[in-house]
């Protein structure tokens, strides 16, 4: 049932082109210049009245939500707050009928996420669930549901579900922006063309697995790892850091690259590994100057950058390239090397990658 792979996690990582395709394509038919989300009943009028969006989830689903927050807010100009469910539910958040609440969950059973959904509904918010498991509690209780078609995810560490959640965030961003008149049909069609290319590009990143395994072997004895980026790259770095912690048991921290000099750079010493994500052109120079500061302190930098950027090779120790795509969609591609890196570090250290210690697949207790 592992389909020839050593672990479910690796199998699920390699299913991602299909998962992205299955989540995107039925919603992006070529003969209609809109996102077809017929399962969502939220009307244009209702969207017009929304003055705030919350995105609430836990763990990896929350990190997908952060990407959603960044994109939806930046493109639609509607304020979006992303928050972990275990905080949101206990702090008496400001919610009313003009709030759109988006909850994201692979299992659809996470206790805190479900409680946050119920709280939002009680206060009159409209709740949209982005869920993977059909018929799960969150799927049943949300007003609207956008399924991620990732299929069953067995490994405790979430991989393909995150990619499907990102795909769902891309769809929602385009959908809300079109409905609110913040994106033209022409802009949408060109973004859609990019989305059509994504599954193929996912496979191009996956084809680098051997190289990533070699890098994992090179850095396997790192005791502290920092993941840094700016903007969307910072959101992606959080997911990369979580993966390394939970399956390889290696201490790691994600940081907004600009925050390093406000404290954490004190921890950079000889051979400290920093994974630098640099896919956003408008922030590129800024992040690179932070990476240079790390090199000046004898840190090791492994960069995840966009193909064609050979300049970065002069600054860092190693580079993994992802194919070029629109800036909005780099997160999905840039995360895949992080998944493989964590996987290969974990297996090299001899850990049970599919069932990491202390963790359950679905957190149904508070
Ligand atoms: O089923 P959910 O998406 O609601 O689960 C949320 C988190 O428990 C989950 O993403 C967790 O962080 C995983 N261990 C991540 O790999």
């Amino acid at each position: 049932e592992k389909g020839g792979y050593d672990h479910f996690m690796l199998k699920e990582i390699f299913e991602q082109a299909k998962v992205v395709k299955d989540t995107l394509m039925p919603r992006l038919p070529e003969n209609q210049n809109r996102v077809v989300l017929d399962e969502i009943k939220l009307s244009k009028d209702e969207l017009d009245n929304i003055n705030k969006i919350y995105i609430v989830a836990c763990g990896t689903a929350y990190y997908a939500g952060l990407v959603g927050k960044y994109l939806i807010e930046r493109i639609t100009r509607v304020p979006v707050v992303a928050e972990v469910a275990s905080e949101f539910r206990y702090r008496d958040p400001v919610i009313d009928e003009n709030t759109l609440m988006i909850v994201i969950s692979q299992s659809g059973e996470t206790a805190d996420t479900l409680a946050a959904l119920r709280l939002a509904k009680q206060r009159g918010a409209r709740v949209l669930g982005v869920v993977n498991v059909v018929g799960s509690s969150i799927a049943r209780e949300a007003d609207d549901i956008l399924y991620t078609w990732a299929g069953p995810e067995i490994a405790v560490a979430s991989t393909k579900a995150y990619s499907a959640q990102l795909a769902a965030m891309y769809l929602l961003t385009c959908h809300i922006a079109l409905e609110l008149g913040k994106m033209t049909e022409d802009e949408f069609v060109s973004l859609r063309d990019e989305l059509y290319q994504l599954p193929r590009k996912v496979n191009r990143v996956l084809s680098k697995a051997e190289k990533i395994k070699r890098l994992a072997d090179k850095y396997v004895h790192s005791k502290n790892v920092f993941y840094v980026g700016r903007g969307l790259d910072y959101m992606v770095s959080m997911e990369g850091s979580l993966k390394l912690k939970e399956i390889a048991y290696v201490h790691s921290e994600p940081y907004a690259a600009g925050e390093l000099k406000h404290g954490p750079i004190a921890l950079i010493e000889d051979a400290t590994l920093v994974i630098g994500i640099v896919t956003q052109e408008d922030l590129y120079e800024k992040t690179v100057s932070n990476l240079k500061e790390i090199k000046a302190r004898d840190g090791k930098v492994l960069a995840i950058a966009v193909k064609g950027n050979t300049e970065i090779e002069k600054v860092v120790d190693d580079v993994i390239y992802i194919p070029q795509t629109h800036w909005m969609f780099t997160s999905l591609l840039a995360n895949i090397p992080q998944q493989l890196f964590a996987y290969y570090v974990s297996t090299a250290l001899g850990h049970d990658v599919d069932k990491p210690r202390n963790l359950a697949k679905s957190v149904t207790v508070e």
Side-chain angles (χ1 to χ4, degrees):
E1 51 188 5
K2 289 181 198 147
Y5 291 96
D6 289 344
H7 300 98
F8 282 109
M9 183 179 174
L10 194 61
K11 171 175 178 264
E12 288 163 5
I13 288 173
F14 274 86
E15 282 170 359
Q16 289 178 112
K18 177 177 189 308
V19 159
V20 171
K21 198 170 161 205
D22 291 349
T23 302
L24 290 177
M25 296 312 152
R27 280 89 181 223
L28 297 173
E30 235 170 325
N31 58 357
Q32 290 185 55
N33 290 344
R34 64 183 185 108
V35 187
V36 177
L37 294 177
D38 290 340
E39 61 256 71
I40 292 182
K41 298 175 292 288
L42 191 67
S43 67
K44 182 179 162 20
D45 278 354
E46 283 166 314
L47 268 177
D48 276 332
N49 288 328
I50 296 295
N51 56 24
K52 178 168 57 177
I53 300 175
Y54 279 118
I55 304 184
V56 177
C58 301
T60 289
Y62 166 65
Y63 296 140
L66 284 175
V67 171
K69 175 222 147 74
Y70 190 99
L71 291 175
I72 295 170
E73 188 168 275
R74 186 149 166 194
I75 306 291
T76 71
R77 315 312 293 169
V78 179
V80 185
V81 175
E83 196 168 355
V84 290
S86 57
E87 287 296 316
F88 178 86
R89 59 179 293 203
Y90 295 118
R91 70 167 179 87
D92 192 12
V94 182
I95 309 171
D96 61 25
E97 309 74 54
N98 300 323
T99 307
L100 173 64
M101 168 87 165
I102 301 175
V103 292
I104 308 176
S105 176
Q106 187 286 127
S107 63
E109 302 296 345
T110 300
D112 283 323
T113 310
L114 185 59
L117 170 158
R118 288 178 180 155
L119 173 73
K121 272 185 84 170
Q122 246 169 38
R123 298 196 179 177
R126 176 101 185 194
V127 180
L128 165 64
V130 176
V131 175
N132 194 47
V133 176
V134 177
S136 55
S137 302
I138 293 176
R140 278 183 277 116
E141 293 193 29
D143 298 306
D144 291 297
I145 190 84
L146 172 57
Y147 279 115
T148 49
W149 296 121
E153 193 178 59
I154 310 291
V156 166
S158 183
T159 54
K160 62 175 181 171
Y162 174 79
S163 287
Q165 286 157 355
L166 292 185
M169 294 301 114
Y170 302 161
L171 290 170
L172 274 180
T173 303
C174 292
H175 176 69
I176 299 172
L178 282 167
E179 293 283 279
L180 297 180
K182 295 294 165 75
M183 184 183 282
T184 66
E185 253 185 52
D186 283 353
E187 284 166 339
F188 170 66
V189 168
S190 89
L191 288 173
R192 188 178 63 184
D193 285 341
E194 278 297 329
L195 289 172
Y196 287 157
Q197 307 293 322
L198 267 188
R200 190 176 51 82
K201 292 179 180 178
V202 166
N203 277 332
R204 294 236 309 265
V205 183
L206 290 170
S207 74
K208 296 179 195 261
E210 273 306 309
K211 176 177 180 179
I212 297 167
K213 185 176 188 308
R214 282 196 299 277
L215 290 168
D217 288 338
K218 175 174 172 184
Y219 292 116
V220 69
H221 296 298
S222 302
K223 292 279 171 267
N224 288 297
V225 180
F226 295 91
Y227 285 73
V228 304
R230 286 171 184 257
L232 285 167
D233 291 336
Y234 172 42
M235 312 301 151
V236 174
S237 75
M238 295 189 214
E239 171 58 10
S241 173
L242 177 65
K243 223 78 315 173
L244 192 69
K245 284 188 195 87
E246 67 178 341
I247 59 166
Y249 317 145
V250 174
H251 175 247
S252 75
E253 297 291 341
Y255 275 104
E259 273 291 294
L260 284 175
K261 58 169 84 55
H262 297 284
I265 200 163
L267 289 168
I268 305 291
E269 52 185 5
D270 189 23
T272 305
L273 176 61
V274 178
I275 301 193
I277 307 167
V278 281
T279 72
Q280 300 292 300
E281 222 178 287
D282 57 338
L283 299 165
Y284 178 75
E285 292 300 333
K286 300 280 174 203
T287 307
V288 164
S289 87
N290 300 128
L291 298 181
K292 285 180 180 160
E293 287 157 10
I294 292 160
K295 286 306 305 166
R297 284 155 186 83
D298 294 323
K300 294 279 177 208
V301 179
L302 162 56
I304 298 174
V306 178
K307 188 153 177 56
N309 171 5
T310 47
E311 281 299 298
I312 189 83
E313 291 169 22
K314 297 181 195 137
V315 180
V316 303
D317 297 274
D318 298 283
V319 189
I320 302 166
Y321 286 112
I322 61 164
Q324 291 177 358
T325 184
H326 191 275
W327 67 264
M328 285 171 62
F329 309 138
T330 55
S331 43
L332 206 153
L333 300 176
N335 181 54
I336 294 170
Q338 305 190 122
Q339 298 172 334
L340 286 166
F341 184 79
Y343 172 80
Y344 288 121
V345 172
S346 171
T347 49
L349 293 173
H351 299 316
D352 184 353
V353 60
D354 281 338
K355 285 202 180 64
R357 66 188 183 202
N358 307 341
L359 296 176
K361 180 65 186 162
S362 180
V363 184
T364 52
V365 291
E366 296 172 10

